[in-house]
Amino acid sequence: MYSFHKFADIATTDWLVLLNHPALKRHMPLAAGVWNEVTAAGWVAEKDRQWQEHAYGPWAIRIDKVFAGWGGFQKEAGVADLALVLLPKFWGHGGAVLRTLLQRRAELHIDIVTILLPPSRTKTKALQRFGFHPAGSVDYDGQHFLKFQLS
């Protein structure tokens, strides 16, 4: 049902749909502006490069063989920060995908996991069910984020 891939395995046109989707952009303050083939290609390369630099990184996600979004671990402030961005038609799969990603922590040798959410993401109770608790806030590139850490 869920499969994980290199970012480069997904067509740029699919990435552009995701990166320019208005429902997603309002919760992704670091992805401001209009994305094009050049900016998307650079972003894809940066995401895939994290695997070489940190021995972990994010994956492109397919659900039932259809591109659904991306998620995984990115090194932020010395710890693995977990991100999950799904196209709206796949939002009902978020909990199961998150559970699958967290199950992969051991094979990636990840102990501490954080999640950074923009203040626009007001529904955070689901994070508590996965063991995350509020851990303050941080600013990145002039944007404010709420921080949650896996307990």
Side-chain angles (χ1 to χ4, degrees), residues 5 14 17 26 30 45 53 61 64 78 91 103 120 124 139 151:
H5 309 269
D14 288 337
V17 168
R26 75 172 212 244
L30 297 179
E53 293 175 3
I61 300 168
D64 295 330
W91 283 353
Q103 289 170 349
S120 62
T124 61
D139 289 324
S151 55

Side-chain angles (χ1 to χ4, degrees), residues 12 16 19-20 34-41:
T12 302
L16 288 172
L19 291 167
N20 288 310
V34 176
W35 291 78
N36 59 41
E37 289 187 16
V38 173
T39 56

Side-chain angles (χ1 to χ4, degrees), residues 45-123:
E46 186 274 326
K47 295 296 186 191
D48 280 342
R49 187 172 33 255
Q50 292 182 39
W51 284 94
Q52 285 75 44
E53 293 175 3
H54 308 296
Y56 61 81
W59 291 278
I61 300 168
R62 288 187 174 125
I63 297 175
D64 295 330
K65 301 181 182 180
V66 176
F67 175 65
W70 68 277
F73 304 96
Q74 304 178 100
K75 195 164 196 172
E76 297 286 349
V79 300
D81 182 68
L82 178 58
L84 179 59
V85 178
L86 297 175
L87 288 161
K89 70 179 185 177
F90 297 101
W91 283 353
H93 294 270
V97 173
L98 183 61
R99 189 172 299 105
T100 302
L101 292 170
L102 289 171
Q103 289 170 349
R104 299 189 83 169
R105 284 174 48 213
E107 72 186 66
L108 298 171
H109 307 288
I110 295 173
D111 294 322
I112 298 171
V113 176
T114 61
I115 290 180
L116 301 178
L117 296 178
S120 62
R121 296 287 308 273
T122 58
K123 297 180 181 179

